[in-house]
Amino acid sequence: MTERLYPTDADKLAVAIEEARKGADEGGVPIGAALFAADGRLLGRGHNRRVQDGDPSVHAETDAFRNAGRQRSYRDTTMVTTLSPCWYCSGLARQFGIGRVLVGEARNFFGGHEWVAEHGAEVVVLEDPGLVQMMAEYIAANPEVWNEDIGEE
């Protein structure tokens, strides 16, 4: 059986969107992420589980990264995230040298993706209208949880 490949950015983003919806269905913050190899193999996927697990460190990107397991190098990987990564997750991308970051949207939250780009990663921001709407609706309905998620008071 051949392993499924995700050749396009749209294919990759679809995996992260599935994760964001899963997180929303679980009552959490609807942010999803996935880590892909250069050939389009899915290495790991995950979603923000801070609310579900009561663990402030389980952001979508860290969940996907942990689920990918150890890799020899991350230079040729792509981290896909439905929302611009916060400083914590941007630091993860920098620390491990993830070569490419695909961002679903950066209107509702403008995180550290430009900083990641300044340090050599290719960063693509798609501004997907459906993701913009999903996050805006979540933030409006859950301002306390959202502010906690981004470290605001």
Side-chain angles (χ1 to χ4, degrees):
M1 185 169 154
T2 305
E3 191 171 6
R4 178 170 179 200
L5 299 180
Y6 298 83
T8 70
D9 286 350
D11 295 333
K12 292 175 178 73
L13 183 60
V15 174
I17 291 171
E18 286 176 16
E19 286 294 320
R21 289 184 178 133
K22 184 176 179 182
D25 290 346
E26 294 171 356
V29 182
I31 303 171
L35 186 67
F36 293 89
D39 64 1
R41 281 180 301 115
L42 176 62
L43 300 172
R45 60 192 292 164
H47 55 278
N48 185 305
R49 294 194 339 262
R50 294 178 62 261
V51 172
Q52 300 91 310
D53 293 1
D55 181 344
S57 70
V58 188
H59 287 209
E61 297 88 345
T62 60
D63 194 32
F65 185 78
R66 289 172 182 160
N67 289 331
R70 290 176 59 194
Q71 306 295 312
R72 278 198 86 145
S73 170
Y74 296 89
R75 178 59 42 209
D76 293 329
T77 64
T78 297
M79 176 65 77
V80 181
T81 178
T82 58
L83 185 66
S84 178
C86 68
W87 286 108
Y88 170 60
C89 296
S90 294
L92 174 91
R94 276 290 302 125
Q95 173 68 31
F96 291 96
I98 292 171
R100 185 166 189 262
V101 178
L102 181 65
V103 177
E105 73 106 338
R107 288 189 192 159
N108 286 293
F109 179 75
F110 197 96
H113 65 268
E114 286 184 343
W115 177 74
V116 173
E118 288 170 6
H119 289 278
E122 176 189 356
V123 175
V124 177
V125 180
L126 298 175
E127 297 299 9
D128 179 271
L131 290 174
V132 171
Q133 180 180 351
M134 179 173 63
M135 279 310 303
E137 290 172 357
Y138 180 82
I139 292 167
N142 302 280
E144 297 85 12
V145 175
W146 173 246
N147 286 334
E148 179 187 325
D149 193 67
I150 60 171
E152 297 290 324
E153 300 219 6

